[in-house]
Structures are given as structure tokens and as C-alpha cells.
């Protein structure tokens, strides 16, 4: 399979980015602009590129900590997202809500996480480049083949 998609981190949630990440003297607040992004997507003729809206990342704290995962996903759907990408730390919350968009998991997924990822009824798939690395940015082809074969062979059969 294949597909054209772009992940837009924190598509609908304002986040705070620590100064250690930005290199600036103070923490920065980033406010999403989903309308602007969708206008730009139309201007460049990229409506055929799927928009995976990042929300509830493992990495950046949300400014509005009271906004739940379901509210964020509903907002992403209203702004035209095709699916959402959520941090793996949100897997327990996914068991408690029904979401209007396909869900992909990301955020440091390890091979030991695959059973819980695939057993969650809300999860469509995962984005996990680091899962396949031998070391930073070097892909381990044998490990990649093993994991793909295990998935295709049903070792991580979803409970659906």
C-alpha cells in the first residue's frame, strides 16, 4: 500500500514549547491555525493529500489541559482533518471514547507496544519510524521485515 499524507502536529490544540526546544530565552506558545492550513492546502492543489491532525502529543504540553481527546478530535474533524495522530500515552483514554475520525498512534512506539496498539478498537494504524531503527536514523532492515511479517501473519491480531 502507499499513501500521500501530511501530519500537522497539534492541528487544533495550542501548545507550549519549552525554551530548551526553541533555543530562545523563554517558553513559546504556539496557536494552531487550521483555517490557514486548509486555505493553503487548497491554494497548492493538495486536497488529495490526506491531512492527519496531530493532537495530544507525548512531547509538547497542551495549553488547555482541560480539553479532552474527544473534543480535540471533533474539532479536527470540523476543520477537515482526514484522521488524527495521537501519542501512545493516550491509548487508555481511547478505550473510553468513540471518535469520528480514524486514529493513528505515534510517539516512541516500541515493539512491546504493538499488542496494545492493535488491540485498541479505535486504532487504525501507527506511525513509528523509530520502531524500525537500529540506531538514530539508521533503519534495521531485518527488524523491519520481522515486524512487518509478524503484523501480516496476525501475531498482533486486532480485537475488532
Amino acid at each position: 500500500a502507499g499513501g500521500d499524507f501530511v501530519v500537522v502536529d497539534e492541528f487544533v490544540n495550542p501548545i507550549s514549547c519549552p525554551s530548551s526546544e526553541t533555543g530562545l530565552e523563554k517558553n513559546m506558545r504556539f496557536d494552531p491555525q487550521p483555517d490557514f492550513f486548509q486555505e493553503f492546502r487548497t491554494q497548492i492543489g493538495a486536497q488529495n493529500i490526506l491531512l492527519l491532525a496531530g493532537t495530544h502529543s507525548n512531547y509538547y504540553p497542551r495549553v488547555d489541559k482541560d480539553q479532552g481527546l474527544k473534543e480535540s478530535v471533533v474539532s479536527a474533524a470540523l476543520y477537515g482533518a482526514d484522521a488524527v495522530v495521537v501519542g501512545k500515552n493516550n491509548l487508555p483514554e481511547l478505550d473510553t471514547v468513540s471518535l469520528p475520525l480514524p486514529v493513528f498512534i505515534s510517539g516512541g512506539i516500541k515493539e512491546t507496544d504493538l499488542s496494545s496498539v492493535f488491540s485498541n478498537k479505535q486504532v487504525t494504524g501507527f506511525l513509528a519510524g523509530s520502531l524500525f531503527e537500529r540506531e538514530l536514523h539508521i533503519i534495521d532492515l531485518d527488524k523491519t521485515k520481522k515486524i512487518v511479517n509478524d503484523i501480516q501473519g496476525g501475531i498482533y491480531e486486532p480485537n475488532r
Side-chain angles (χ1 to χ4, degrees):
D4 294 326
F5 65 90
V6 60
V7 177
V8 179
D9 288 332
E10 300 307 331
F11 184 64
V12 293
N13 299 105
I15 59 170
S16 175
C17 189
S19 59
S20 60
E21 293 281 330
T22 64
L24 302 173
E25 291 181 24
K26 62 180 184 170
N27 292 350
M28 297 292 296
R29 176 185 165 122
F30 293 93
D31 290 302
Q33 298 181 336
D35 285 332
F36 171 80
F37 184 85
Q38 291 293 31
E39 288 172 24
F40 181 70
R41 187 180 182 199
T42 300
Q43 285 176 359
I44 64 172
Q47 297 92 330
N48 61 323
I49 308 295
L50 295 177
L51 168 60
L52 279 57
T55 186
H56 291 245
S57 162
N58 290 345
Y59 303 112
Y60 299 112
R62 291 184 323 280
V63 172
D64 182 2
K65 296 185 187 320
D66 292 332
Q67 185 173 22
L69 181 61
K70 183 170 185 169
E71 292 82 9
S72 296
V73 174
V74 167
S75 292
L78 291 173
Y79 281 108
D82 298 297
V84 292
V85 179
V86 301
K88 74 174 183 179
N89 296 347
N90 294 285
L91 279 168
E93 188 175 352
L94 286 174
D95 287 330
T96 66
V97 296
S98 177
L99 301 175
L101 291 173
V103 176
F104 291 85
I105 301 297
S106 186
I109 292 176
K110 296 177 177 59
E111 198 167 351
T112 54
D113 297 320
L114 292 177
S115 289
S116 60
V117 167
F118 280 105
S119 66
N120 190 295
K121 293 179 175 142
Q122 296 279 353
V123 176
T124 300
F126 64 95
L127 305 176
S130 61
L131 174 65
F132 304 109
E133 291 178 345
R134 176 179 44 225
E135 55 188 85
L136 188 62
H137 304 302
I138 297 177
I139 300 298
D140 183 331
L141 292 178
D142 291 331
K143 181 179 180 183
T144 301
K145 287 176 187 176
K146 178 196 175 300
I147 292 171
V148 169
N149 287 336
D150 287 349
I151 291 169
Q152 289 175 335
I155 195 168
Y156 303 111
E157 192 63 36
N159 295 332
R160 297 175 197 232

